[in-house]
Amino acid sequence: MIQAAAIDGKQPPSPALDWDGLIAEGRSVLGAMSDGRWTDFNAHDPGITLLEAFAYALTDLAYRAGHPIAELVTGPAEGPDRLLVGDAVTPADLRRVAIEVAGVRNAWIEPSEHPTLRLRYTPGAGEFDRAREPIERGDPVLLAGVHRVLIEKSSREDIASPELARTVAEILHRHRGLCEDFDTVDVLAPLPVGIAAELEIDDPARGDAVLLDIYTALADYCSPRPAWVDAAALRARGWATEAIYDGPATGGRRLDEDAAPRRRAALQRSDIIAALDRVPGVRAVRQVRMGADGDDLPGPIRWSLPIPSDRVPRFDPRASRIVLTSGGGFALDSSGRDDLAALFAERALDALDPPKALDPPAPPARDRRVGAYRPLRFDLPALYAVAPGGLEPEAGSARLAQVSQLRAYLALLDALLANHFAQLAGVGALLGSGETASYFAQPAEPIHTPAEPGSEVPLHADGFTADALQMLVEPPSSIAGLERRNRLLAHLLARYGEEAPLTLPPAGLQGPTLPAGRRVLDSRARFLSDFARLSAGRGTGSNLLDPADEPPLLDRIRLKLGLSEGEGARLRLVEHILLRPFAEDDGQAQALLAAAASPDPFSLQLSLVVDEALRPAADSLARVVRAETPAHLTLHVRWFGGAEFDAFAAAYTRWRTTLCTQRQQALGLDGGAA
């Protein structure tokens, strides 16, 4: 049976959408305002006609206000992969970032126990020098926060190792943790591993399938693939949405750390036997031998096969020989089945793709043009003659006066409604960070001045503009408007658990033309406009491949203090780990560092260098620095005089430029050899 479509007759969810209810309330108000003398509420009464048109405009406004927020701000709706992600914090986060690079099959972020230049510390002299074997005096220094990045290439993409190392290094430098660094980024060379084994299977007819499964088991053991888990599977495990998307953006996918063991330092014969025994169809494992890099098979039985630190094991079916037997008879010998080795290699390539089951993307937003307003007079009956062209040419002056008087009365209602529609259209600017207005206005009708011959009389005075109307509604210098805007931005920051500024600089730091309210508004607007970087990158260091990049922590401190851009330039943040000696410092006759304040002045420490001109804000700066600095880091505040700070700032800039050039040359990003 076909059901006829019908309008839902249920009560609207909002009283503002209930046209009948608005009319009933309007009639009640009219009766009360006229002391009960207005009793004709029929449709022929002009007052009721105007009330119905006004109520219709109100329902239109309420309907538009109910559009999704993404359509009110006319921007794309953001999903959790944009709103809930942060920057890399742990080595596991960095590993996810590296594995996402095309051409990377697997990656490991390991502590660099012996950085490029090994150091020793002499307690009595407070000196750091290169540690040479054997160490005659002093204590070895093991720096914290220095990582070694190891990459296993994918066999799917044919990318040269130096190019792959450069790409991974560029991405990791953008996600580098504060007070952390990368000692080396190495692409491991594959170490072909051959296996010789004799196994008994239950069904000789399935010999080909069983051999392919054996190849898969051996490949997974030698070099386990990183296992990805998509958002749907994580939810099935009980993960909350914010936990799924915590960390760098990877499309809602996370690495299954339980299924991704550490890089193998050795292959164990007992583990290989166990892996073969788990293959479906294998009844018994008779013998197993293993070799690498062309070792003769079968050879001597090895219980363990060490893997060099610069190699990654890769099972090679063509260098292996798997003999399958069944019921005491021969079933299959892999040495004569190159076709199965090729088929296995093809299947292994297909298995490298990560899962594609992501959360569905947010629907695209539409521009609803919620500010478009239609004047009331356009919808009144023709008898009222207030619509454009509605007044007959032969109408007398009395009729013209009546029509003009009604138009003037309607103009008051239109102005009220049009400004409400303009305020709704200004939601995007109101919730943004660059707008300074808090009230928005628009003319109810297009402005025509002066009137063309034969056209209707204009409503607006000569020279009147939309900008002039906005000036009347809220002048830029309005103190009340500034306070409203500040309250709104404070509310938006509070929704993210933030507050800026935490304090205002003392009066001595404030410019004579910049009132306190404007400084607060400027700090809050700048914080919100850069919120994604300031929030996600709170523990992220500067990109060492960009000499102009600064840590988000420094900008957070500036904005939390309410400093202007000029005042904020009198701060510098130095990560001590970047001051450690490098290989290029080897060969110096003197100590690499003398009169050190501690046995390890490099690890997990940073210094905030401040101009003495900001000394009046010292107490506020101390509170902000304590609140903003990640708890695992030690921050020192150094005060420099004006000339001393300028000299330091110049030296700091040269140092950052030199460090950037050195990193780019080491990675071959300057066109030179890596």
Side-chain angles (χ1 to χ4, degrees):
M1 178 179 178
I2 299 177
Q3 296 289 339
I7 297 176
D8 190 352
K10 295 188 296 185
Q11 190 77 9
S14 170
L17 294 172
D18 185 2
W19 185 82
D20 290 329
L22 293 176
I23 295 299
E25 185 175 352
R27 290 174 178 174
S28 175
V29 172
L30 291 175
M33 293 177 63
S34 63
D35 293 332
R37 287 176 292 179
W38 190 338
T39 58
D40 188 358
F41 295 133
N42 295 305
H44 63 261
D45 188 286
I48 299 303
T49 301
L50 297 181
L51 173 64
E52 292 177 347
F54 191 77
Y56 175 77
L58 288 178
T59 58
D60 187 19
L61 177 63
Y63 170 75
R64 299 187 193 190
H67 289 322
I69 189 65
E71 296 181 353
L72 292 179
V73 301
T74 62
E78 301 288 4
D81 196 35
R82 288 273 299 176
L83 298 176
L84 299 179
V85 298
D87 216 331
V89 176
T90 65
D93 292 337
L94 291 172
R95 182 171 182 243
R96 287 166 56 190
V97 171
I99 293 178
E100 281 283 292
V101 176
V104 174
R105 184 178 188 269
N106 209 341
W108 298 271
I109 311 294
E110 300 178 351
S112 185
E113 298 179 355
H114 302 293
T116 308
L117 191 64
R118 300 177 63 184
L119 302 176
R120 68 181 181 187
Y121 171 70
T122 305
E127 293 181 347
F128 280 85
D129 203 349
R130 176 165 184 177
R132 304 181 187 276
E133 297 293 348
I135 298 180
E136 301 88 358
R137 59 187 178 87
D139 302 322
V141 178
L142 298 180
L143 300 179
V146 182
H147 304 297
R148 178 188 181 202
V149 183
L150 304 175
I151 303 298
E152 179 185 2
K153 289 177 59 175
S154 167
S155 56
R156 174 180 290 276
E157 294 88 358
D158 185 16
I159 302 176
S161 295
E163 180 182 351
L164 185 60
R166 287 194 293 269
T167 303
V168 172
E170 285 184 280
I171 292 178
L172 289 180
H173 272 79
R174 292 200 294 267
H175 295 272
R176 184 184 65 88
L178 200 62
C179 297
E180 297 181 12
D181 198 8
F182 304 105
D183 186 33
T184 58
V185 179
D186 298 323
V187 178
L188 302 177
L191 178 68
V193 173
I195 305 293
E198 181 180 336
L199 303 94
E200 182 176 350
I201 61 176
D202 55 7
D203 185 0
R206 295 185 59 250
D208 289 6
V210 173
L211 182 61
L212 288 173
D213 290 341
I214 290 172
Y215 283 168
T216 300
L218 292 174
D220 288 344
Y221 170 73
C222 291
S223 181
R225 290 188 298 268
W228 290 94
V229 186
D230 59 32
L234 290 172
R235 287 197 177 90
R237 297 182 185 183
W239 284 50
T241 299
E242 56 270 22
I244 293 174
Y245 291 94
D246 184 32
T250 51
R253 301 186 297 266
R254 297 187 71 90
L255 287 175
D256 192 344
E257 298 297 335
D258 295 335
R262 300 180 62 181
R263 186 172 61 93
R264 297 205 185 282
L267 302 183
Q268 306 297 334
R269 181 172 180 267
S270 58
D271 293 338
I272 293 178
I273 294 175
L276 293 173
D277 192 56
R278 289 193 295 268
V279 175
V282 173
R283 298 184 60 184
V285 179
R286 299 301 183 192
Q287 57 178 315
V288 171
R289 288 178 171 83
M290 55 186 175
D293 250 352
D295 289 343
D296 292 333
L297 293 176
I301 295 178
R302 297 180 178 179
W303 295 102
S304 179
L305 179 63
I307 305 299
S309 61
D310 60 345
R311 308 290 290 275
V312 59
R314 186 75 61 85
F315 171 68
D316 185 359
R318 299 185 187 276
S320 303
R321 184 181 183 186
I322 309 297
V323 177
L324 304 182
T325 61
S326 180
F330 172 79
L332 187 148
D333 187 342
S334 68
S335 60
R337 297 300 302 272
D338 287 346
D339 58 324
L340 292 181
L343 180 59
F344 164 73
E346 182 180 346
R347 290 184 179 181
L349 289 178
D350 294 337
L352 293 179
D353 291 331
K356 301 297 184 182
L358 308 181
D359 280 350
R366 294 181 293 170
D367 184 359
R368 297 281 192 164
R369 299 183 66 246
V370 294
Y373 179 72
R374 180 179 175 86
L376 294 175
R377 67 188 183 101
F378 285 21
D379 294 322
L380 291 180
L383 177 66
Y384 289 63
V386 291
L391 186 64
E392 57 276 8
E394 61 275 9
S397 57
R399 177 64 170 163
L400 177 61
Q402 290 175 340
V403 171
S404 298
Q405 185 178 20
L406 179 56
R407 284 186 60 200
Y409 172 75
L410 292 174
L412 299 176
L413 301 179
D414 279 329
L416 180 65
L417 287 168
N419 287 345
H420 277 76
F421 280 79
Q423 191 71 14
L424 184 62
V427 165
L430 198 63
L431 298 180
S433 55
E435 183 62 54
T436 58
S438 60
Y439 285 168
F440 302 92
Q442 66 177 347
E445 299 187 22
I447 298 176
H448 300 294
T449 54
E452 298 177 1
S455 66
E456 58 184 358
V457 178
L459 288 174
H460 310 96
D462 291 348
F464 187 76
T465 63
D467 291 338
L469 176 61
Q470 183 65 40
M471 286 287 294
L472 291 174
V473 171
E474 186 180 75
S477 59
S478 170
I479 300 300
L482 182 64
E483 292 176 350
R484 280 192 298 270
R485 187 68 183 160
N486 264 326
R487 289 196 300 270
L488 178 64
L489 295 189
H491 171 77
L492 293 177
L493 283 170
R495 294 180 71 90
Y496 295 111
E498 296 283 3
E499 182 181 359
L502 292 174
T503 179
L504 276 179
L509 296 179
Q510 298 182 20
T513 60
L514 195 62
R518 180 61 62 179
R519 291 177 69 96
V520 170
L521 182 64
D522 179 63
S523 292
R524 290 173 177 170
R526 287 160 55 198
F527 199 104
L528 283 168
S529 65
D530 202 16
F531 179 79
R533 185 181 72 93
L534 295 176
S535 177
R538 184 173 183 172
T540 303
S542 58
N543 184 355
L544 300 183
L545 302 180
D546 180 2
D549 191 45
E550 292 183 321
L553 175 63
L554 182 58
D555 287 330
R556 287 183 65 94
I557 292 173
R558 290 165 174 165
L559 295 174
K560 294 279 185 171
L561 287 171
L563 299 177
S564 65
E565 293 187 5
E567 295 162 350
R570 310 304 290 176
L571 299 175
R572 292 291 189 276
L573 196 63
V574 181
E575 302 175 57
H576 291 196
I577 197 67
L578 305 180
L579 300 175
R580 73 188 190 278
F582 291 95
E584 292 79 0
D585 298 311
D586 192 17
Q588 296 185 19
Q590 298 179 344
L592 297 174
L593 180 65
S598 66
D600 184 358
F602 303 109
S603 300
L604 306 179
Q605 299 178 61
L606 63 164
S607 289
L608 181 67
V609 181
V610 191
D611 190 339
E612 280 285 353
L614 299 178
R615 179 67 77 170
D619 292 341
S620 301
L621 185 142
R623 291 196 300 271
V624 169
V625 164
R626 282 197 299 268
E628 292 298 317
T629 303
H632 69 289
L633 302 180
T634 301
L635 187 140
H636 311 275
V637 179
R638 314 292 185 187
W639 294 90
F640 285 5
E644 189 181 14
F645 181 88
D646 290 337
F648 168 80
Y652 176 85
T653 301
R654 291 194 302 270
W655 169 69
R656 277 299 312 273
T657 302
T658 303
L659 182 62
C660 175
T661 302
Q662 183 269 338
R663 290 295 172 94
Q664 291 178 343
Q665 291 175 348
L667 295 172
L669 297 174
D670 61 340

